Amino acid sequence: MLRPHFERQTTGRLLLRAIREDDLDAVFALHSDPTTNQFSRRGYMQTLDDARRIMGLWLEDWAREGVGYWLVERLEAPGVVVGLGGLRHKELEGQRVLNLAYRFVPQTWGSGYATEVSRVALALAARHLPHVPLVAIIHPENAASLRVAERLGMRLDRHVTEDGIPNRVYVIR
């Protein structure tokens, strides 16, 4: 299912692009940092094989669904990945949803990048996938991510437990 409008987007400051086979090092660097992954239910990645496995899933998302997480680069520094964000299909409590996610290197925290990327993702989902519920699953102690969801106009819908970890589910108002 080809959705070319999802594969590459730009904002005033950022390039959002589909993950590619040659992004292994960037994915590993972002996900192997304990600080960046302190609220991740799986913790931080410890090996390149961990990155290969998750990248395989994400590449499959793009191939099968035409939608997936983007790697994010600053337009002023092409080729330098500063984060990951966007949407991917997942099952949540037996329902197929679009999961909104964002993760950025600590040096960019507070820059508004998560909100900027998420606004593009929400607009594309509303235009092209309006029939699929959209959620953000956030650890209750991740205050920065909770603020991003609220800034996007999302509201707390319910609490869920995934892999033994409690999370909050935010939905579009």
Side-chain angles (χ1 to χ4, degrees), residues 3-17:
R3 294 187 195 280
H5 36 270
F6 276 89
E7 290 180 20
R8 184 180 179 91
Q9 293 287 317
T10 57
T11 70
R13 305 184 293 170
L14 304 171
L15 167 66
L16 322 175
R17 63 169 180 79

Side-chain angles (χ1 to χ4, degrees), residues 24 50 52 63-65 73 78-79 83 105 107 120 125 134 140 146 149 155-156 159:
L24 181 66
D50 293 336
R52 266 189 209 91
R64 185 182 61 246
E65 305 288 348
E73 301 174 12
V105 297
Q107 299 88 329
V120 173
L134 194 144
L146 295 170
R155 66 168 173 77
L156 177 62
H159 298 267

Side-chain angles (χ1 to χ4, degrees), residues 4 9 44-45 59-61 77 79 81 85 104 121-122 129 132 136 154:
Q9 293 287 317
Y44 63 92
M45 288 182 183
L59 289 166
E60 191 176 298
D61 288 340
V81 173
F104 288 87
L122 294 178
L129 297 165
V132 183
M154 300 182 86

Side-chain angles (χ1 to χ4, degrees), residues 97-113:
V97 299
L98 284 170
N99 184 56
L100 174 67
Y102 33 85
R103 176 166 292 144
F104 288 87
V105 297
Q107 299 88 329
T108 66
W109 291 357
S111 66
Y113 288 170

Side-chain angles (χ1 to χ4, degrees), residues 126-154:
R127 190 173 322 126
H128 301 288
L129 297 165
H131 58 284
V132 183
L134 194 144
V135 303
I137 304 166
I138 305 171
H139 190 285
E141 295 175 17
N142 191 341
S145 285
L146 295 170
R147 281 193 303 275
V148 169
E150 291 166 0
R151 194 174 301 121
L152 294 167
M154 300 182 86

Side-chain angles (χ1 to χ4, degrees), residues 32-52:
S32 62
D33 179 349
T35 303
T36 304
N37 293 276
Q38 64 184 326
F39 298 110
S40 172
R41 68 178 203 249
R42 290 188 176 89
Y44 63 92
M45 288 182 183
Q46 298 187 21
T47 68
L48 277 174
D49 284 338
D50 293 336
R52 266 189 209 91

